Amino acid sequence: MNTVISWVPESSGTDPDVTSGPLSGVRIGVKDNIDVGGVRSTCGSAYFADRIADSDAACVGALKRAGAIITSTLNLAEFAVGVTSQNSASGGPVNPWDPARVPGGSSGGSGVAVAAGIVDVALGTDTGGSIRLPAACCGVTGLRPSIGTLDMTGIFPVSAGFDTVGPIARTASLVRRTLSALVDFDVAPRHDGPLRIAVPWPFVTADVDPAIGEAVRTTAELLRRLGHTVVDIPIPHSESAQDVVYTLIYSDLARTHAQRLGDEPSRFQPATRERISLGLSISDDRRDAALRGRDVFRAAMVRVFAEADVVLTPAMPVDVPPLGGDDAVIAQARRMGQLTYPWSLHTGPTLALPIGTHPSGMPIGGQLTAAETDEGLLLALAEQIQDHTDWHLRTPPIHVDRR
C-alpha cells in the first residue's frame, strides 16, 4: 500500500528510561513531516529526501514518555499539501478498502496504516482537513484538536494559524487515550447528560452524495434515540469559509516555499507546485480581508456553540475518489475538502469517524465539532456512537493479520 516511508529502529522509537506508561505497547506511526530524532523526515519531498531529524518533535517525545513504540514514519502528500496523497516523492499510498482509490490526504499514509493494522495509532497533521479526510476515506477515527492544544515544535509547517497535530485510531477511546498522553492529563467531558446536537441541513447541501446524507440522518436518529436533542441550527458564513481558509493557507504556503519556487521549482511534485503557486497572486489586501472573514466566522461560532454542544456534518460530500481521476487538482481539492475547510476556520476540535458504508463499499465519514477545548465531550459522544454501531470495527480487505 506504499504506506511507510521509514521504519524506525527500536533505539529511536522508544524512551529507554520508560518501562511502563498509559500507552505501553501501543504501536504508533507518525506522518513524515513530524520529526523522529535520528530518522529521515522527508515531508514526502525530493527536497528533503536525505534529511535526518536532529531530535524528536514535542508530540513524539510525549508519546515515548507514555510508553508508546514509534514504529514508522508514514507517507503523505508532499509538504502536507494535497487531499489525495498521490503527490509524494515516495509515490502515492493507496486505500486498503480498494487499492484503486485514494486514501485521502494529506495524512494518507496515517489513515491507511491504522485501517490496515500496520499501527495501532498514527499521528497526522490537519490544516484544512488532512486528518479528517484520510480518517473518512479509510474508515477510522481521527481528531483535529483545538488550535494551540498541542505543541507543534518539530513539525514542518503549512500555515501556522491553522496547523494542528492529532491522533488517528480505530476507536474514539484509543484516540482519547492518546490525546490524554499528549496533553499529560485525562481528557474527560466537562459535563455529561443529554446534549444538544446541531445537524445543519443547509450545510448538507443538495450536492452531497445521497448515501452520505442518509448516513448523517441515520446517525442523527441514533443520537435522538440515545436521549440527545437534535436541532437544526445554521452555520453562519459557512458558504464563504472555504475561500477564507484557502486564501490564508495558500498565502502562507507561498511565503514558506518562496525560495524553493524561485530556485528549483521542478523538484516539487507537479500537483504540489500547482497548489502552492496559487499563493503567489494573493495580495496583502486580499489576505487582510480573509483575516477579517476569519474573525467574523469565529465570532459566529461562539454564538453557535452557546446554542448547541456538538455539530454533526458529513466529513466529505462525495464517495472516495478513484486514483488518477479526471478532476483537475484544484477542483478536486475544493470538492473533497468542501466540508472540512470550514471547521478549520473554527478554533475548536473536530472529530471524523465512520458512520456508514457507501453502496460502492467504501467507508462514509461524519464529523463531530465542539467548542474550543471541548475534546473530552466530543470524544465521549463518539464513544457513545461507537458503543451502538460497528462501523469502526470493520476491517478492509487488505489488512495485517496479527494472530
Side-chain angles (χ1 to χ4, degrees):
M1 290 173 290
N2 203 31
T3 303
V4 173
I5 289 183
S6 296
W7 294 103
V8 175
E10 185 175 353
S11 58
S12 298
T14 58
D15 186 330
D17 297 326
V18 175
T19 57
S20 65
L23 295 180
S24 287
V26 175
R27 303 167 302 147
I28 294 183
V30 302
K31 187 175 180 177
D32 200 50
N33 61 341
I34 301 171
D35 285 352
V36 179
V39 179
R40 283 196 311 157
S41 183
T42 75
C43 290
S45 179
Y47 289 102
F48 288 177
D50 299 315
R51 176 181 176 268
I52 305 296
D54 293 329
S55 57
D56 289 337
C59 55
V60 170
L63 294 174
K64 289 182 181 180
R65 290 191 295 274
I69 305 164
I70 311 300
T71 66
S72 49
T73 68
L74 303 172
N75 208 348
L76 72 161
E78 184 180 25
F79 289 118
V81 180
V83 295
T84 67
S85 299
Q86 298 312 292
N87 56 319
S88 170
S90 295
V94 299
N95 197 306
W97 289 93
D98 178 353
R101 296 185 187 242
V102 304
S106 62
S107 310
S110 297
V112 173
V114 171
I118 296 167
V119 296
D120 303 309
V121 177
L123 289 186
T125 59
D126 190 311
T127 305
S130 289
I131 287 172
R132 292 162 288 157
L133 290 173
C137 289
C138 296
V140 292
T141 306
L143 176 69
R144 171 189 170 86
S146 300
I147 293 173
T149 297
L150 296 177
D151 187 341
M152 299 295 292
T153 302
I155 301 175
F156 194 87
V158 176
S159 179
F162 297 104
D163 289 349
T164 59
V165 59
I168 300 173
R170 184 165 296 282
T171 66
S173 60
L174 186 49
V175 169
R176 180 178 55 77
R177 282 177 56 202
T178 306
L179 182 63
S180 295
L182 287 166
V183 297
D184 199 25
F185 61 81
D186 184 33
V187 177
R190 291 185 285 201
H191 58 87
D192 54 17
L195 302 175
R196 286 174 59 83
I197 312 294
V199 184
W201 296 118
F203 197 88
V204 185
T205 56
D207 65 348
V208 170
D209 184 295
I212 294 171
E214 183 57 32
V216 172
R217 290 177 173 86
T218 300
T219 303
E221 182 55 36
L222 169 63
L223 292 170
R224 188 179 285 112
R225 292 199 309 270
L226 293 174
H228 303 293
T229 301
V230 177
V231 295
D232 184 359
I233 297 175
I235 305 299
H237 314 295
S238 60
E239 71 285 349
S240 59
Q242 187 175 24
D243 286 333
V244 170
V245 177
Y246 261 66
T247 298
L248 295 173
I249 289 175
Y250 284 131
S251 63
D252 284 346
L253 280 168
R255 294 176 187 188
T256 297
H257 295 284
Q259 185 170 347
R260 280 179 278 272
L261 284 170
D263 293 347
E264 296 181 282
S266 62
R267 294 186 70 187
F268 282 112
Q269 297 291 302
T272 314
R273 185 172 63 250
E274 182 178 352
R275 292 190 68 186
I276 290 175
S277 296
L278 289 175
L280 296 174
S281 61
I282 295 172
S283 66
D284 289 343
D285 286 348
R286 186 177 163 197
R287 180 180 172 85
D288 289 343
L291 288 168
R292 291 192 295 272
R294 177 202 64 187
D295 295 343
V296 167
F297 183 88
R298 288 178 175 177
M301 291 309 98
V302 172
R303 296 190 292 273
V304 165
F305 288 106
E307 298 182 52
D309 299 299
V310 175
V311 177
L312 167 66
T313 60
M316 204 166 65
V318 292
D319 190 18
V320 181
L323 295 168
D326 294 331
D327 287 346
V329 169
I330 306 303
Q332 184 178 53
R334 289 187 66 88
R335 182 65 168 146
M336 288 179 66
Q338 180 179 325
L339 303 177
T340 59
Y341 268 84
W343 295 121
S344 291
L345 204 54
H346 173 50
T347 57
T350 300
L351 181 82
L353 74 167
I355 59 170
T357 297
H358 194 274
S360 68
M362 298 304 291
I364 294 173
Q367 288 183 112
L368 298 173
T369 302
E372 190 172 351
T373 71
D374 252 352
E375 281 83 355
L377 181 146
L378 206 60
L379 289 162
L381 182 64
E383 289 178 47
Q384 191 176 25
I385 292 171
Q386 292 183 344
D387 283 343
H388 291 84
T389 61
D390 67 354
W391 305 115
H392 60 294
L393 299 177
R394 300 185 179 193
T395 55
I398 304 173
H399 66 276
V400 175
D401 188 347
R402 297 189 70 204
R403 291 177 297 175

